[in-house]
Amino acid sequence: MIASEAATVGTTDSANGAGPVVRVEGVRKSFGTNLVLDGVDLTVAAGDALVIIGRSGSGKSTLLRCINLLEPIDDGRILLEGDEITRKGVDVSRVRQRIGMVFQQFNLFPHLTAIDNVTLAARKIRKLSREQAERRARELLKTVGLEEKAEQHPHQLSGGQQQRVAIARALMMEPHVMLFDEVTSALDPELVGEVLIVMRDLARTGMTMLVVTHEMQFAREVGDRLVFMDEGRIVEEGVPADVLDNPSDERTRRFLRRTLQLPESLEELTVNEEGVEE
Ligand SMILES: Nc1ncnc2c1ncn2[C@@H]1O[C@H](COP(=O)(O)OP(=O)(O)OP(=O)(O)O)[C@@H](O)[C@H]1O
Ligand SMILES: [Mg+2]
Protein backbone atom coordinates (compact mmCIF):
# COMPACT_ATOMS: atom_id res chain seq x y z
CA MET A 1 0.00 0.00 0.00
CA ILE A 2 2.97 2.22 -0.55
CA ALA A 3 1.39 4.32 -3.29
CA SER A 4 -1.67 5.42 -1.34
CA GLU A 5 0.32 6.15 1.80
CA ALA A 6 2.82 8.18 -0.13
CA ALA A 7 0.16 10.74 -0.90
CA THR A 8 0.76 12.30 2.51
CA VAL A 9 4.45 12.87 1.96
CA GLY A 10 4.94 15.21 -0.97
CA THR A 11 5.70 18.87 -0.77
CA THR A 12 4.81 20.38 -4.09
CA ASP A 13 4.46 23.96 -2.91
CA SER A 14 7.61 25.92 -3.31
CA ALA A 15 8.03 28.93 -1.09
CA ASN A 16 7.56 31.40 -3.91
CA GLY A 17 4.88 29.58 -5.85
CA ALA A 18 5.41 28.74 -9.47
CA GLY A 19 9.15 29.26 -10.11
CA PRO A 20 11.65 26.43 -10.43
CA VAL A 21 12.64 24.68 -7.23
CA VAL A 22 16.27 24.32 -8.25
CA ARG A 23 18.17 26.49 -10.66
CA VAL A 24 21.84 25.96 -11.40
CA GLU A 25 23.47 28.74 -13.42
CA GLY A 26 26.90 28.53 -14.98
CA VAL A 27 28.34 26.48 -12.13
CA ARG A 28 32.03 25.72 -12.28
CA LYS A 29 33.94 23.67 -9.77
CA SER A 30 37.51 22.39 -9.69
CA PHE A 31 39.39 20.17 -7.31
CA GLY A 32 42.92 21.52 -7.65
CA THR A 33 43.60 21.54 -11.39
CA ASN A 34 40.82 19.05 -12.09
CA LEU A 35 37.87 20.94 -13.60
CA VAL A 36 34.90 18.83 -12.51
CA LEU A 37 31.91 21.06 -13.31
CA ASP A 38 32.46 23.16 -16.40
CA GLY A 39 29.55 25.58 -16.64
CA VAL A 40 26.48 23.57 -15.63
CA ASP A 41 23.03 25.07 -16.23
CA LEU A 42 20.01 23.21 -14.95
CA THR A 43 16.43 23.98 -14.01
CA VAL A 44 14.14 21.66 -12.09
CA ALA A 45 10.48 22.63 -11.91
CA ALA A 46 8.33 21.94 -8.87
CA GLY A 47 7.16 18.35 -8.85
CA ASP A 48 9.58 17.18 -11.53
CA ALA A 49 11.90 14.20 -11.28
CA LEU A 50 15.15 14.96 -13.08
CA VAL A 51 17.36 11.96 -13.80
CA ILE A 52 21.11 12.49 -14.22
CA ILE A 53 23.20 9.89 -16.02
CA GLY A 54 26.81 9.86 -17.17
CA ARG A 55 30.12 8.07 -16.93
CA SER A 56 32.04 7.63 -13.72
CA GLY A 57 33.87 10.88 -12.95
CA SER A 58 31.62 13.07 -15.11
CA GLY A 59 30.68 15.19 -12.07
CA LYS A 60 27.23 13.85 -11.11
CA SER A 61 27.89 13.47 -7.38
CA THR A 62 29.77 16.76 -7.27
CA LEU A 63 26.78 18.53 -8.81
CA LEU A 64 24.42 17.12 -6.15
CA ARG A 65 26.94 17.94 -3.42
CA CYS A 66 27.19 21.54 -4.65
CA ILE A 67 23.39 21.87 -4.61
CA ASN A 68 23.36 20.63 -1.03
CA LEU A 69 26.20 23.04 -0.14
CA LEU A 70 28.51 20.17 0.76
CA GLU A 71 31.01 21.59 -1.75
CA PRO A 72 31.63 25.28 -2.43
CA ILE A 73 31.41 26.31 -6.07
CA ASP A 74 34.03 28.42 -7.86
CA ASP A 75 31.74 30.28 -10.22
CA GLY A 76 28.07 30.64 -11.13
CA ARG A 77 25.20 30.40 -8.68
CA ILE A 78 22.56 28.02 -7.39
CA LEU A 79 19.03 29.08 -6.46
CA LEU A 80 16.62 27.15 -4.31
CA GLU A 81 13.02 28.30 -4.64
CA GLY A 82 14.28 31.61 -5.95
CA ASP A 83 16.84 32.24 -3.17
CA GLU A 84 20.48 32.26 -4.12
CA ILE A 85 21.93 29.70 -1.73
CA THR A 86 25.51 30.11 -2.96
CA ARG A 87 25.69 33.75 -1.86
CA LYS A 88 28.00 34.76 0.96
CA GLY A 89 26.57 34.57 4.45
CA VAL A 90 23.78 32.13 3.66
CA ASP A 91 22.46 30.07 6.58
CA VAL A 92 23.73 26.68 5.41
CA SER A 93 21.86 24.64 7.95
CA ARG A 94 18.53 26.29 7.07
CA VAL A 95 19.16 25.64 3.38
CA ARG A 96 20.00 22.01 4.05
CA GLN A 97 16.74 21.54 5.92
CA ARG A 98 14.94 22.17 2.65
CA ILE A 99 17.06 19.62 0.79
CA GLY A 100 16.94 15.90 1.53
CA MET A 101 19.84 13.79 0.36
CA VAL A 102 20.20 10.03 0.13
CA PHE A 103 23.52 8.38 -0.73
CA GLN A 104 24.69 5.00 -1.93
CA GLN A 105 25.83 4.21 1.63
CA PHE A 106 22.85 4.55 3.95
CA ASN A 107 24.94 5.59 7.00
CA LEU A 108 22.37 4.63 9.60
CA PHE A 109 23.56 4.65 13.20
CA PRO A 110 24.07 0.95 14.02
CA HIS A 111 23.22 1.32 17.71
CA LEU A 112 19.86 3.02 17.03
CA THR A 113 16.58 1.40 15.99
CA ALA A 114 15.01 2.32 12.66
CA ILE A 115 12.62 4.76 14.27
CA ASP A 116 15.37 6.40 16.32
CA ASN A 117 17.46 6.78 13.18
CA VAL A 118 14.49 8.47 11.50
CA THR A 119 13.67 10.80 14.40
CA LEU A 120 17.14 11.80 15.60
CA ALA A 121 17.87 14.77 13.36
CA ALA A 122 14.28 15.98 13.40
CA ARG A 123 14.29 16.07 17.20
CA LYS A 124 17.67 17.80 17.37
CA ILE A 125 17.34 20.25 14.48
CA ARG A 126 13.60 20.73 14.07
CA LYS A 127 13.09 20.53 17.84
CA LEU A 128 10.14 18.17 17.54
CA SER A 129 9.07 16.48 20.76
CA ARG A 130 9.70 12.74 20.96
CA GLU A 131 5.98 12.10 20.62
CA GLN A 132 5.51 14.34 17.57
CA ALA A 133 8.64 12.96 15.96
CA GLU A 134 7.67 9.34 16.53
CA ARG A 135 4.17 9.85 15.19
CA ARG A 136 5.54 11.34 11.99
CA ALA A 137 8.31 8.75 11.75
CA ARG A 138 5.81 5.89 11.98
CA GLU A 139 3.79 7.42 9.16
CA LEU A 140 6.93 7.67 7.05
CA LEU A 141 8.06 4.14 7.87
CA LYS A 142 4.61 2.99 6.76
CA THR A 143 5.02 4.95 3.56
CA VAL A 144 8.26 3.12 2.78
CA GLY A 145 6.66 -0.22 3.73
CA LEU A 146 8.51 -0.67 7.03
CA GLU A 147 5.97 -0.01 9.77
CA GLU A 148 6.69 -3.44 11.25
CA LYS A 149 10.44 -2.78 11.40
CA ALA A 150 10.43 0.41 13.47
CA GLU A 151 12.08 -1.21 16.49
CA GLN A 152 14.70 -3.16 14.54
CA HIS A 153 18.36 -2.20 14.40
CA PRO A 154 20.12 -1.76 11.04
CA HIS A 155 21.90 -5.14 11.24
CA GLN A 156 18.46 -6.79 11.43
CA LEU A 157 17.42 -5.15 8.16
CA SER A 158 18.35 -5.93 4.56
CA GLY A 159 20.22 -3.35 2.50
CA GLY A 160 17.01 -2.42 0.72
CA GLN A 161 15.21 -1.98 4.03
CA GLN A 162 18.07 0.12 5.41
CA GLN A 163 17.99 2.33 2.34
CA ARG A 164 14.24 2.80 2.78
CA VAL A 165 14.86 3.85 6.39
CA ALA A 166 17.41 6.35 5.07
CA ILE A 167 14.78 7.74 2.68
CA ALA A 168 12.28 8.05 5.55
CA ARG A 169 14.95 9.81 7.59
CA ALA A 170 15.47 12.36 4.82
CA LEU A 171 11.71 12.91 4.44
CA MET A 172 11.42 13.54 8.16
CA MET A 173 12.93 16.98 7.62
CA GLU A 174 10.08 17.83 5.21
CA PRO A 175 12.45 18.72 2.40
CA HIS A 176 11.29 20.70 -0.61
CA VAL A 177 13.57 18.73 -2.91
CA MET A 178 15.22 15.33 -2.65
CA LEU A 179 18.64 14.42 -4.06
CA PHE A 180 19.38 10.74 -4.67
CA ASP A 181 22.95 9.70 -5.50
CA GLU A 182 23.09 6.13 -6.85
CA VAL A 183 21.03 4.90 -3.93
CA THR A 184 20.57 1.41 -5.36
CA SER A 185 24.14 0.83 -6.57
CA ALA A 186 25.31 -1.01 -3.45
CA LEU A 187 22.26 -3.26 -3.24
CA ASP A 188 21.87 -6.87 -4.31
CA PRO A 189 19.83 -6.95 -7.51
CA GLU A 190 16.74 -8.41 -5.87
CA LEU A 191 16.62 -5.47 -3.42
CA VAL A 192 16.86 -2.71 -6.01
CA GLY A 193 13.18 -2.81 -6.98
CA GLU A 194 11.79 -2.13 -3.52
CA VAL A 195 13.85 1.07 -3.25
CA LEU A 196 12.96 2.22 -6.76
CA ILE A 197 9.27 1.69 -6.01
CA VAL A 198 9.52 3.93 -2.95
CA MET A 199 11.22 6.58 -5.11
CA ARG A 200 8.61 6.20 -7.84
CA ASP A 201 5.81 6.66 -5.31
CA LEU A 202 7.55 9.69 -3.87
CA ALA A 203 7.78 11.20 -7.35
CA ARG A 204 4.06 10.56 -7.78
CA THR A 205 3.29 12.58 -4.67
CA GLY A 206 4.80 15.58 -6.42
CA MET A 207 8.16 15.63 -4.67
CA THR A 208 10.79 17.49 -6.68
CA MET A 209 13.71 15.10 -7.16
CA LEU A 210 17.18 14.97 -8.71
CA VAL A 211 18.18 11.35 -9.20
CA VAL A 212 21.62 10.12 -10.23
CA THR A 213 21.13 6.52 -11.30
CA HIS A 214 22.14 3.76 -13.67
CA GLU A 215 18.61 2.34 -13.60
CA MET A 216 17.43 3.24 -17.07
CA GLN A 217 14.01 1.66 -16.65
CA PHE A 218 13.44 3.96 -13.69
CA ALA A 219 14.73 6.92 -15.70
CA ARG A 220 12.33 6.11 -18.50
CA GLU A 221 9.25 5.49 -16.42
CA VAL A 222 9.66 7.94 -13.55
CA GLY A 223 11.86 10.71 -14.90
CA ASP A 224 10.20 13.82 -16.31
CA ARG A 225 13.53 14.97 -17.74
CA LEU A 226 16.88 13.32 -18.22
CA VAL A 227 20.31 14.91 -18.52
CA PHE A 228 23.47 13.23 -19.69
CA MET A 229 26.70 14.59 -18.19
CA ASP A 230 30.14 14.21 -19.70
CA GLU A 231 33.35 15.79 -18.41
CA GLY A 232 31.53 18.24 -16.18
CA ARG A 233 29.04 19.44 -18.77
CA ILE A 234 25.47 18.63 -19.62
CA VAL A 235 25.75 17.46 -23.19
CA GLU A 236 22.20 16.25 -23.72
CA GLU A 237 18.87 16.88 -22.09
CA GLY A 238 15.32 15.86 -22.85
CA VAL A 239 12.41 13.55 -22.22
CA PRO A 240 13.98 10.30 -20.93
CA ALA A 241 12.55 7.99 -23.60
CA ASP A 242 13.76 10.33 -26.36
CA VAL A 243 17.28 10.59 -25.00
CA LEU A 244 17.54 6.87 -24.27
CA ASP A 245 16.08 5.65 -27.57
CA ASN A 246 17.37 8.37 -29.81
CA PRO A 247 20.39 10.12 -28.33
CA SER A 248 21.55 12.97 -30.53
CA ASP A 249 25.01 13.38 -29.02
CA GLU A 250 27.67 10.84 -29.89
CA ARG A 251 28.92 10.79 -26.28
CA THR A 252 25.48 9.79 -25.06
CA ARG A 253 25.30 7.08 -27.71
CA ARG A 254 28.68 5.71 -26.69
CA PHE A 255 27.74 5.71 -22.99
CA LEU A 256 24.46 3.93 -23.65
CA ARG A 257 26.15 1.41 -25.92
CA ARG A 258 28.81 0.66 -23.31
CA THR A 259 26.23 0.13 -20.62
CA LEU A 260 24.19 -1.95 -23.10
CA GLN A 261 21.27 0.42 -22.73
CA LEU A 262 20.83 1.12 -26.42
CA PRO A 263 18.11 -0.91 -28.05
CA GLU A 264 20.67 -2.81 -30.10
CA SER A 265 20.96 -6.54 -30.13
CA LEU A 266 23.76 -8.04 -28.01
CA GLU A 267 24.69 -10.01 -31.11
CA GLU A 268 25.75 -6.85 -32.92
CA LEU A 269 28.29 -5.90 -30.25
CA THR A 270 31.86 -7.07 -29.81
CA VAL A 271 34.32 -6.61 -26.99
CA ASN A 272 37.93 -5.49 -26.88
CA GLU A 273 40.39 -4.58 -24.11
CA GLU A 274 38.48 -1.31 -23.53
CA GLY A 275 35.15 -3.06 -23.08
CA VAL A 276 32.34 -2.76 -25.59
CA GLU A 277 33.88 -1.99 -28.98
CA GLU A 278 32.97 1.29 -30.65
N1 LIG B 1 36.56 15.72 -2.67
C1 LIG B 1 37.22 15.58 -3.82
N2 LIG B 1 38.51 15.94 -3.91
C2 LIG B 1 39.19 15.82 -5.08
N3 LIG B 1 38.65 15.36 -6.22
C3 LIG B 1 37.36 14.99 -6.19
C4 LIG B 1 36.57 15.08 -5.00
N4 LIG B 1 35.31 14.64 -5.27
C5 LIG B 1 35.31 14.30 -6.57
N5 LIG B 1 36.53 14.51 -7.13
C6 LIG B 1 36.88 14.28 -8.54
O1 LIG B 1 35.90 14.95 -9.32
C7 LIG B 1 35.59 14.20 -10.47
C8 LIG B 1 34.10 13.98 -10.55
O2 LIG B 1 33.72 13.16 -9.46
P1 LIG B 1 32.22 12.79 -9.14
O3 LIG B 1 32.25 11.97 -7.90
O4 LIG B 1 31.41 14.02 -9.13
O5 LIG B 1 31.84 11.93 -10.39
P2 LIG B 1 30.56 11.00 -10.63
O6 LIG B 1 30.00 11.39 -11.96
O7 LIG B 1 29.67 11.06 -9.46
O8 LIG B 1 31.22 9.56 -10.76
P3 LIG B 1 30.66 8.11 -10.28
O9 LIG B 1 29.70 7.67 -11.34
O10 LIG B 1 31.88 7.27 -10.23
O11 LIG B 1 30.02 8.30 -8.93
C9 LIG B 1 36.42 12.94 -10.41
O12 LIG B 1 37.56 13.14 -11.20
C10 LIG B 1 36.78 12.84 -8.96
O13 LIG B 1 37.99 12.18 -8.78
MG1 LIG C 1 29.03 9.69 -8.06
Side-chain angles (χ1 to χ4, degrees), residues 19-31:
V21 174
V22 176
R23 203 173 159 84
V24 174
E25 295 177 355
V27 164
R28 292 164 67 86
K29 167 79 186 169
S30 299
F31 291 107

Side-chain angles (χ1 to χ4, degrees), residues 55-62 65 104 181-182 212 214:
R55 287 194 317 202
S56 179
S58 58
K60 306 179 298 294
S61 296
T62 303
R65 292 171 57 80
Q104 183 174 328
D181 193 359
E182 298 201 30
V212 172
H214 297 293

